[in-house]
Amino acid sequence: MLTSDFNFDLPEELIAQHPSGVRGQDKLMLLDRATGKVEHHMMDDLPSLIQPGTLMIFNNSRVRRARVYGIKESTGRETEFMFLNTIDKECCIWNTMVKSAKKQKPGMRYTFPDGTIATIIEHEGNAGTEFRALKFDFAINEEWFEKNGHIPLPPYIRREDTDEDSERYQNVYATDTGSAACPTAGLHFTKDMLARLDKAGIERRFVTLHVGLGTFLPVREENIENHKMHEEWYTIPKETADAINKAKREGRPILAVGTTSVRTLESAAQKLSDEEGGFDQLNPQKEWLNPGTSSTSIFMYPGYKFKVVDQMFTNFHTPESTLIMLVSAFAGRENILSAYKTAVENKYRFFSYGDCMFIR
């Protein structure tokens, strides 16, 4: 299957550059993944579209102010770094994605806004990529990012971040800081909407997957099977795993909010399957997944068989991305491309600050 099989025409004016005027006041497309039929709704309609007893899974990762600008010591020029994760906490080494990576070489030193200095060091696998390892003289923490960093808006939002983004590019239920990009399907949910879902008898639990930029890197391979995802870490609490296993045994649907929640649940199910030598959905007493912390580089595209997720709430994704491949695996490539064509015709807003889709 080719990367170009997941392309579609998208007018630039439909790429949302700002959030909607009021959080949660967005268009919602309902897609039947069996038939490809679509219905047009508003986000406010969501509780009436979800079957009571459904278990919704949200990713509670909070966005770090991960975009930080440093001044290169040798030239005095500003360089943009996106901080992804720690490589070595004790040695104060961070994995970053850097602009003009070919010009940023081991040994080069950078001064950050508060005067902190860091040096690029050699790190296995970084040569020829956008990634660089930065070593600091002391451990930096979230207070450092709050002081020095910017909200990491995606590159298709062609503006600088503002105070509004500090609130709107963050989910209202986010608690665990660590993401370099927001799990944006959750941006449509307000505290009032969560209360309405509770009142409608819809169960809610959380997982944590700290979003790196591997999910959003372009697929550069012609054949999608050759693309390799970067690893991301996830945690599934025991109460969430217990709720999922109970719901599956009772035949209640699992609704994953966002592709990061999907990747977390399917990765955990695959991990348990590998440990047990197979996945038997016919055993009514089986466990679908276990709690715990692990890493994933799962890449889902058409042909993938979903083990846990029955329904999905998501945004509209970029052409030829791993995300549109994931939703195509879930709902069928033809159904997704047809739905996206309909979304364009009906002026839906696309990507992080855009409208949303409920696939059931």
Side-chain angles (χ1 to χ4, degrees), residues 17 42 56-58 64 70 79 81 93 121 162 179 195 205 234 248 272 286 346 348:
Q17 297 297 306
M42 295 298 292
M56 295 183 75
I57 304 296
F58 294 78
R64 171 180 288 132
T79 302
F81 292 88
I93 301 172
I121 63 171
T162 66
S179 279
R205 291 289 185 274
Y234 68 83
K248 295 299 284 187
L272 182 58
K286 76 176 296 297
N346 286 270
Y348 278 68

Side-chain angles (χ1 to χ4, degrees), residues 280-349:
D280 179 13
Q281 290 182 302
L282 301 178
N283 179 358
Q285 300 305 315
K286 76 176 296 297
E287 301 287 288
W288 268 257
L289 48 76
N290 288 329
T293 296
S294 189
S295 65
T296 179
S297 57
I298 193 169
F299 177 26
M300 288 175 273
Y301 50 86
Y304 177 83
K305 303 298 183 186
F306 286 80
K307 300 174 178 63
V308 175
V309 177
D310 303 299
Q311 301 176 356
M312 190 185 307
F313 181 95
T314 186
N315 282 6
F316 291 89
H317 303 294
T318 53
E320 300 187 353
S321 65
T322 60
L323 301 179
I324 194 172
M325 294 171 189
L326 185 155
V327 295
S328 294
F330 189 71
R333 186 182 73 92
E334 294 78 10
N335 287 345
I336 288 294
L337 292 179
S338 176
Y340 275 41
K341 184 174 184 293
T342 300
V344 169
E345 291 169 351
N346 286 270
K347 307 295 185 186
Y348 278 68
R349 301 165 76 238

Side-chain angles (χ1 to χ4, degrees), residues 91-243:
C91 295
C92 313
I93 301 172
W94 278 78
N95 183 36
T96 69
M97 179 181 284
V98 58
K99 282 284 185 73
S100 304
K102 290 182 180 179
K103 298 179 180 179
Q104 320 307 329
K105 300 177 181 178
M108 291 182 172
R109 286 159 49 94
Y110 303 80
T111 302
F112 293 96
D114 67 346
T116 305
I117 295 175
T119 305
I120 291 180
I121 63 171
E122 297 275 5
H123 184 65
E124 183 181 358
N126 278 357
T129 72
E130 302 95 333
F131 302 98
R132 295 291 182 271
L134 269 185
K135 180 173 174 46
F136 291 81
D137 291 332
F138 62 91
I140 60 175
N141 55 24
E142 295 308 325
E143 183 179 344
W144 187 90
F145 285 106
E146 286 296 316
K147 183 188 298 182
N148 293 280
H150 295 259
I151 296 296
L153 295 177
Y156 46 74
I157 295 180
R158 304 184 190 283
R159 61 176 177 81
E160 295 299 315
D161 63 304
T162 66
D163 289 342
E164 179 188 39
D165 296 307
S166 297
E167 188 258 331
R168 293 298 299 273
Y169 194 67
Q170 200 78 264
N171 291 319
V172 297
Y173 50 79
T175 56
D176 193 346
T177 302
S179 279
C182 184
T184 53
L187 293 179
H188 304 280
F189 291 84
T190 63
K191 290 182 179 179
D192 177 67
M193 172 58 72
L194 296 177
R196 289 180 59 202
L197 291 169
D198 292 343
K199 188 175 180 181
I202 297 159
E203 191 177 0
R204 173 161 41 97
R205 291 289 185 274
F206 296 97
V207 297
T208 305
L209 182 142
H210 290 316
V211 186
L213 294 186
T215 301
F216 303 96
L217 284 175
V219 178
R220 297 190 175 101
E221 301 287 348
E222 182 179 2
N223 295 309
I224 65 173
E225 293 89 347
N226 296 330
H227 177 72
K228 302 298 181 186
M229 297 282 286
H230 289 267
E231 280 194 335
E232 294 167 314
W233 285 89
Y234 68 83
T235 298
I236 300 178
K238 185 178 187 302
E239 65 175 18
T240 299
D242 289 347

